[in-house]
Amino acid sequence: NERSIRSGIVLSENGVELPQSKSLHADIRDRGAGAWSHWNRVILFSTSDGSDPRTNGRRYTVVGLTLPIRIGSILLALAAGFLAIRGVLRMLRAPRTQRERPTAPIAAVADARDASSPGPDAAPVARGRRWLLALASAGVSVLAISLLIVGLELVLRWTAPAPVPTTLELAEGLGWTRYGGPHRPIPEPRSPSPDSFLVLFVGDSFSHARQWGDLTIEALRARGIDAIGEECGVSGYGTVQELMVLRRFLPELRPHAVVLQVYLWNDPRDNWPFPGICYNARMTQRPYMDEDGVVHEPSSWLISLRRCEVWKRLLEPLLDPMRVSAGRDRLAADGIDAIAERRERLVIDYSTLDSWAPLYQPSRQDGAYMRGAWESTERALRAIRDLCAAHGVALAVLAVDQAFTVEPAAAEASVPEALRTGGDWDTELPMRRLHAITTRLEIPLFDPMPALRSQHRETGTTLHDGPGMGAHLLPRSEATLSDAVVPWLERIARDRADQRLR
């Protein structure tokens, strides 16, 4: 499967690139979770959640360089490289002193001097001309390479597919953001009245274009509250990125309440860079918060470079799988706690077992990896609490967890049996740790997981869109999330109305 590194193919599910492009066929068949492989003219892939791609209603697209463009770009690159190397060699070979010039018989030299008498400056003039010619040759080579890159970039942009509303795009500071607008109004845009109660929903893919925020606003209106909402979820976001979203939108939108959705299986890992996790090649650069509460944003020049089609479609398919593979090899050799202890920045795939299993293992909680992940999460939540308090905004946390914490079938599909039955496994451990943090910070925490488990036991139906690690709640199950936060929001809205009448 080594050809997949050089194939230049990108496979997307509803506009979001699937990870693990360099996967073994056995892993694609047995593990799934979006793993795929490009082999000659065949693409073997799995969906992100293990569902059937023929019936799950999602759109799968393949983007790659056509054969003529690939061959042409390679030939042009070789020609430009040849010109550049030739220019450098000519510059290096230019004689530095008169002694380096080719020698001639003494008599001939003497006769030439007598005949022409060019004077003592003849050698420097010749040497200077050679340097000028070498520099000019190098300059032409650089110009040719620049024109090649610009032309190839224009061609690739012209042939790039149009983005869809669920597409993510790179963004300075945040790493990436949602395409087509940073937030979605609930319901359709309208002019709010001074008495409207505005709720801001912030989270990751469990909020991005999901329905539970809409259901929450509908429930509040059914209770006689003039409620409107703004949904700011972005797939793959961690708590630090959500803090930066709130820093931007709290002054602009001026909500009365914020519901921060936390995904326990991912968010602590999203907030910790030693090692960092990525979901695909587009989502490897993100901001992190250090021990002093300072947010370190990804390099703006690197984000700009990654926006280029030449990078995305030529270099990224080659370099990023190699980077993730190197991180995976280091993780297997040294262990994740050793990497965290050394503060070694690596990137590994989000589905790597050794990166998420410690969240549910009591014996791993005192290791450097878990300590760092939960401490960075607490720092980010404290910053969000202080930010909301400074703007007079009520804050609550709504926490959800992996499908395997709800449905036994999902646990069998996602968690190795040795882990589940080995005595060092607790599916409710992350929720308890988050509850301890929010209690210290005095932030209300709402846990819909018991209601989801009860619903699954009573109905016997699946609540998620698949058993794999990329599963999300089905629309009919999202009402449970809404039910968890509506009473608190109603109380905040009525208290605000009472204060306004006094």
Side-chain angles (χ1 to χ4, degrees):
N1 194 29
E2 293 300 321
R3 295 188 186 183
S4 63
I5 296 178
R6 301 186 296 273
S7 66
I9 294 296
V10 174
L11 178 63
S12 300
E13 180 183 67
N14 277 352
V16 178
E17 295 175 18
L18 289 175
Q20 308 176 77
S21 60
K22 183 189 172 184
S23 298
L24 298 176
H25 291 182
D27 290 340
I28 299 172
R29 180 182 62 253
D30 299 335
R31 188 182 63 183
W36 62 281
S37 167
H38 174 215
W39 185 264
N40 293 331
R41 294 178 175 268
V42 176
I43 296 178
L44 182 65
F45 74 99
S46 61
T47 59
S48 61
D49 57 5
S51 59
D52 189 338
R54 298 168 296 183
T55 59
N56 61 12
R58 298 172 194 167
R59 182 169 176 259
Y60 295 87
T61 56
V62 175
V63 178
L65 295 176
T66 61
L67 185 60
I69 293 177
R70 290 173 61 192
I71 294 177
S73 63
I74 292 173
L75 293 177
L76 288 174
L78 290 175
F82 170 75
L83 291 175
I85 294 173
R86 189 184 66 172
V88 172
L89 291 177
R90 290 187 63 180
M91 183 169 59
L92 294 177
R93 289 173 180 171
R96 296 182 180 181
T97 64
Q98 180 65 21
R99 290 190 301 270
E100 297 176 1
R101 300 182 63 188
T103 58
I106 296 177
V109 173
D111 294 342
R113 285 182 177 177
D114 293 339
S116 58
S117 300
D121 295 333
V125 170
R127 184 168 64 252
R129 290 182 62 185
R130 291 193 179 190
W131 273 100
L132 288 175
L133 288 174
L135 290 174
S137 177
V140 170
S141 300
V142 172
L143 179 61
I145 294 174
S146 302
L147 292 177
L148 164 68
I149 295 174
V150 171
L152 188 58
E153 177 71 15
L154 293 175
V155 170
L156 293 177
R157 290 191 180 190
W158 180 64
T159 59
V164 296
T166 55
T167 302
L168 300 175
E169 59 181 356
L170 295 174
E172 294 184 5
L174 291 166
W176 64 90
T177 188
R178 57 198 290 168
Y179 172 80
H183 48 80
R184 175 178 64 91
I186 308 170
E188 292 301 316
R190 69 179 180 86
S191 298
S193 69
D195 297 334
S196 296
F197 180 66
L198 175 58
V199 184
L200 184 60
F201 302 95
V202 183
D204 56 14
S205 57
F206 277 79
S207 296
H208 187 171
R210 299 288 171 171
Q211 298 302 308
W212 66 269
D214 303 67
L215 297 175
T216 300
I217 297 301
E218 292 175 6
L220 291 173
R221 290 187 168 190
R223 300 184 183 203
I225 298 173
D226 180 19
I228 57 176
E230 292 284 348
E231 179 258 299
C232 298
V234 181
S235 295
Y237 267 17
T239 317
V240 176
Q241 287 163 302
E242 290 154 0
L243 166 65
M244 299 179 69
V245 168
L246 290 171
R247 285 177 176 174
R248 174 182 175 185
F249 290 129
L250 283 186
E252 175 184 331
L253 299 176
R254 303 175 66 182
H256 303 103
V258 168
V259 178
L260 177 67
Q261 171 259 307
V262 172
Y263 184 32
L264 292 168
W265 187 69
N266 271 357
D267 283 7
R269 301 186 292 153
D270 289 333
N271 302 327
W272 181 246
F274 310 113
I277 63 171
C278 69
Y279 301 94
N280 57 52
R282 304 270 76 206
M283 302 159 71
T284 58
Q285 303 293 322
R286 70 165 81 227
Y288 293 102
M289 178 180 286
D290 63 19
E291 287 82 354
D292 298 323
V294 178
V295 176
H296 298 273
E297 301 178 0
S299 170
S300 57
W301 73 265
L302 187 56
I303 295 294
S304 300
L305 176 64
R306 285 177 168 269
R307 284 196 179 110
C308 298
E309 292 293 329
V310 171
W311 175 272
K312 289 190 293 186
R313 299 169 67 177
L314 286 178
L315 299 178
E316 189 175 79
L318 170 65
L319 299 179
D320 280 315
M322 295 172 62
R323 182 185 180 194
V324 173
S325 178
R328 183 174 60 245
D329 294 342
R330 183 70 63 84
L331 178 64
D334 298 345
I336 201 163
D337 284 321
I339 293 172
E341 194 70 42
R342 293 195 301 261
R343 300 296 180 94
E344 187 174 0
R345 282 219 173 188
L346 300 173
V347 175
I348 58 177
D349 186 80
Y350 79 104
S351 63
T352 303
L353 178 65
D354 289 340
S355 71
W356 60 263
L359 286 163
Y360 304 90
Q361 293 179 282
S363 66
R364 306 289 296 276
Q365 299 307 298
D366 293 331
Y369 179 61
M370 281 290 93
R371 287 202 317 270
W374 283 111
E375 288 172 1
S376 60
T377 300
E378 183 168 357
R379 286 193 294 270
L381 286 173
R382 181 182 292 110
I384 290 175
R385 178 203 63 184
D386 296 343
L387 179 66
C388 289
H391 287 82
V393 178
L395 170 67
V397 171
L398 173 69
V400 295
D401 208 342
Q402 244 282 353
F404 63 67
T405 67
V406 176
E407 304 180 32
E412 293 176 2
S414 302
V415 184
E417 183 178 0
L419 276 179
R420 289 185 282 112
T421 61
D424 188 25
W425 189 254
D426 185 354
T427 56
E428 299 184 29
L429 179 57
M431 188 68 74
R432 290 200 302 272
R433 294 211 60 167
L434 180 63
H435 184 266
I437 292 173
T438 55
T439 299
R440 287 193 295 269
L441 299 178
E442 299 182 338
I443 303 174
L445 172 65
F446 298 102
D447 176 11
M449 304 309 292
L452 288 170
R453 295 186 188 102
S454 176
Q455 181 182 349
H456 177 66
R457 286 193 300 267
E458 292 173 0
T459 64
T461 60
T462 181
L463 307 183
H464 296 81
D465 54 12
M469 289 180 289
H472 292 80
L473 289 170
L474 290 168
R476 66 173 181 268
S477 308
E478 293 188 39
T480 307
L481 307 187
S482 174
D483 294 342
V485 298
V486 164
W488 175 78
L489 289 172
E490 181 184 9
R491 185 173 70 254
I492 298 296
R494 296 200 185 282
D495 290 345
R496 173 177 172 271
D498 292 341
Q499 293 174 3
R500 191 172 60 249
L501 293 174
R502 292 172 186 170

